Amino acid sequence: ILGIGFEVLAQEKSVRGKEELLFEEIPIVVTAARKEQPITEAPSNITVITDEQIKNSGARTLADVLALIPGIQINTHRKGFERIWIRGVSTEYNNKTLLLIDGYPWRELVYGQHPIDEQFSINNIKKVEVIKGPGSALYGANAFAGVINVVTKDAGDVEGANVEIGAGSWNTQSHNVLFGKKSNHGGIVFAANYYDTEGDKHERDVDGNLTTKRDPNKLVDLNLKVSLYDFNFAVRHGRYNTEYFSYADTKWLKWDNKDSLVQLGWKHSFSERLKLALRGYYNLFDYPREKRSFKDDGSFKELEDSVEKTQLIGAGIQTEYNLFHNNDVIAGIDYENEKAFEITETIYKM
C-alpha cells in the first residue's frame, strides 16, 4: 500500500484568538490536518475528549469514551468486542474507522479491525481526537467513516508516579501504574495495567435451569514512551484472555489475543516556516481462538480452532512549509506493507 498526500491549508485568523474562548483554553489538535493547530482553525469536524473529561465520566474502556461523543454509537458485537457506528455508518469489525495511537495506525489485517474494549486500557490517555467523516485523503485505508486518534501522556503530563489498586466482586482485580520523568532534553513515560475477573455469572441456561458458568477475562497491558531531542520512541504490548458462553450457554469460546505496536519518529524544525518529520511503525496481532459445544453430561465436543497472525510495517515522510500567515503547504508520502503470517481454521466433525 503506497499513498501520497498533498494539501494546502488557507485559514483565516480566528477573531476569538488562539489562546482563550469564553475564558477556556482552546484545544490544540493534530488529527484534522496532520499538524498542530487550534481546534477553531481545524478544517474538519473534530471532537476532543480530554483526560479530565474521561476521569469525570467514569469511563472504563475506549468504547465508553467514544460513546460520550454525539453522532457515535457503540454496539456490542459479542461479549467483550464492541463496534463503532459513526453517523449511522455501521460495521461489524470496526474496519471503516481508523484507530491511531499518537498518530500511528493500529489494526489487525484479517478484518481490518481494532479493539476498543477491555483490550485497550485508558489510564495513559491524554486526550482522544475524533473526526466524524471520511479521512482517507489524509490517512488512507480504513478511514471511510472516521478517524480516532488516541494521544497518550508525555513525561510533562505525569512527572512522578501514580499507582491505583482496585478490587471488586467476582474476584475482580484492577491495578494501574503510571510513571513519568522529564528532563531538559526529553522524557520517559511507563504505564502498566493489569485486570483480572471471574466475570459475570450466568443465572440460567438454555433450558431455564440454574447455572454456575461465568465469563472470565484477564488483561496485561505494558506501554513505554521515550523522547530525546527530536526523536521519539514508543512500544506497546498487550495480552488479553477471555472465555465466554454464547448461544444461551451451549457454546463456549476462548480467545488468547496478543498484540504489539512499535513506533519510531523524528521531527525537526529547520526554521519557523519549515518542518520535516520521519516515522516508522510496526503492528503485530496474534489472535488464536477455540470454540467448543457442551454436551448434556457437562463434557464438551470440539467445534473449531482458528489462528490469525498478521503484521503491518509502515514508514512515512512529511514536510510542512508556512507560506505566510495561516497558509501552510503540507506534503508527504506513506508506505505500508501488510503480511499474514498464519490464517488457519480447523473445523471438527460433530
Side-chain angles (χ1 to χ4, degrees):
I1 298 176
L2 179 65
I4 301 176
F6 181 84
E7 183 179 12
V8 178
L9 301 178
Q11 301 161 342
E12 295 295 331
K13 182 178 180 181
S14 172
V15 297
R16 292 167 293 186
K18 294 184 177 181
E19 301 300 330
E20 294 184 354
L21 175 62
L22 295 178
F23 307 105
E24 292 185 5
E25 183 180 352
I26 296 178
I28 301 298
V29 298
V30 296
T31 312
R34 298 185 69 159
K35 71 159 201 169
E36 292 186 351
Q37 60 186 161
I39 193 172
T40 53
E41 299 178 0
S44 300
N45 182 351
I46 185 168
T47 302
V48 178
I49 303 294
T50 65
D51 56 343
E52 183 178 358
Q53 292 173 311
I54 294 174
K55 182 178 180 180
N56 294 336
S57 70
R60 193 174 60 86
T61 65
L62 183 57
D64 295 336
V65 175
L66 297 175
L68 301 173
I69 302 175
I72 295 183
Q73 182 180 359
I74 304 298
N75 294 294
T76 300
H77 172 45
R78 53 182 177 264
K79 185 173 180 65
F81 294 86
E82 310 288 351
R83 53 189 179 185
I84 308 169
W85 291 9
I86 298 182
R87 291 179 172 176
V89 179
S90 62
T91 172
E92 185 175 2
Y93 295 107
N94 292 335
N95 57 357
K96 294 181 181 178
T97 59
L98 178 64
L99 178 63
L100 307 174
I101 301 180
D102 292 323
Y104 294 83
W106 186 56
R107 68 181 185 271
E108 64 89 30
L109 303 178
V110 176
Y111 300 104
Q113 68 175 341
H114 50 78
I116 58 171
D117 39 72
E118 286 86 354
Q119 299 182 57
F120 194 101
S121 56
I122 65 173
N123 65 307
N124 191 32
I125 293 180
K126 179 179 179 180
K127 62 180 177 178
V128 179
E129 300 179 4
V130 179
I131 296 177
K132 292 177 289 186
S136 297
L138 283 178
Y139 292 100
N142 296 79
F144 174 78
V147 179
I148 302 167
N149 186 18
V150 177
V151 181
T152 61
K153 294 180 179 179
D154 296 317
D157 303 315
V158 182
E159 196 58 33
N162 181 65
V163 179
E164 297 180 3
I165 299 176
S169 55
W170 300 310
N171 290 328
T172 300
Q173 302 179 55
S174 179
H175 312 307
N176 300 301
V177 176
L178 184 61
F179 170 80
K181 181 65 176 178
K182 185 179 179 181
S183 68
N184 294 332
H185 306 297
I188 182 172
V189 176
F190 173 74
N193 181 37
Y194 176 80
Y195 178 76
D196 187 12
T197 180
E198 290 183 355
D200 301 335
K201 178 182 178 182
H202 291 231
E203 298 295 336
R204 303 283 176 175
D205 62 15
V206 66
D207 299 318
N209 301 318
L210 292 174
T211 177
T212 59
K213 294 185 175 69
R214 295 182 180 273
D215 296 331
N217 57 67
K218 178 186 293 185
L219 168 71
V220 177
D221 182 21
L222 303 174
N223 299 266
L224 178 66
K225 187 176 183 180
V226 180
S227 61
L228 181 63
Y229 295 102
D230 294 331
F231 292 91
N232 62 81
F233 169 79
V235 59
R236 177 192 186 276
H237 179 73
R239 183 161 187 171
Y240 180 69
N241 305 99
T242 182
E243 302 175 14
Y244 65 94
F245 291 87
S246 61
Y247 307 103
D249 282 354
T250 60
K251 293 182 180 178
W252 170 83
L253 293 93
K254 179 180 179 180
W255 294 75
D256 184 12
N257 299 345
K258 295 177 286 291
D259 66 84
S260 299
L261 171 62
V262 180
Q263 309 166 356
L264 180 62
W266 176 83
K267 186 174 183 179
H268 184 73
S269 297
F270 293 94
S271 66
E272 293 183 358
R273 288 189 171 186
L274 179 62
K275 299 178 181 178
L276 180 66
L278 305 174
R279 67 174 189 163
Y281 50 92
Y282 173 78
N283 286 193
L284 177 66
F285 281 84
D286 187 0
Y287 278 10
R289 183 185 70 172
E290 303 174 13
K291 182 185 290 186
R292 306 289 182 263
S293 179
F294 279 83
K295 300 179 181 179
D296 294 336
D297 59 3
S299 62
F300 62 85
K301 51 187 175 183
E302 296 178 331
L303 293 182
E304 64 181 69
D305 295 331
S306 65
V307 175
E308 303 166 10
K309 189 174 182 180
T310 65
Q311 77 170 15
L312 171 66
I313 299 176
I317 181 173
Q318 176 177 305
T319 182
E320 175 185 336
Y321 184 75
N322 178 251
L323 294 174
F324 47 89
H325 181 67
N326 282 343
N327 288 266
D328 299 322
V329 175
I330 300 175
I333 182 171
D334 286 319
Y335 171 81
E336 287 187 350
N337 179 276
E338 299 179 347
K339 180 179 180 180
F341 283 105
E342 186 177 4
I343 302 177
T344 63
E345 185 172 16
T346 303
I347 300 176
Y348 299 96
K349 294 182 178 180
M350 300 294 291

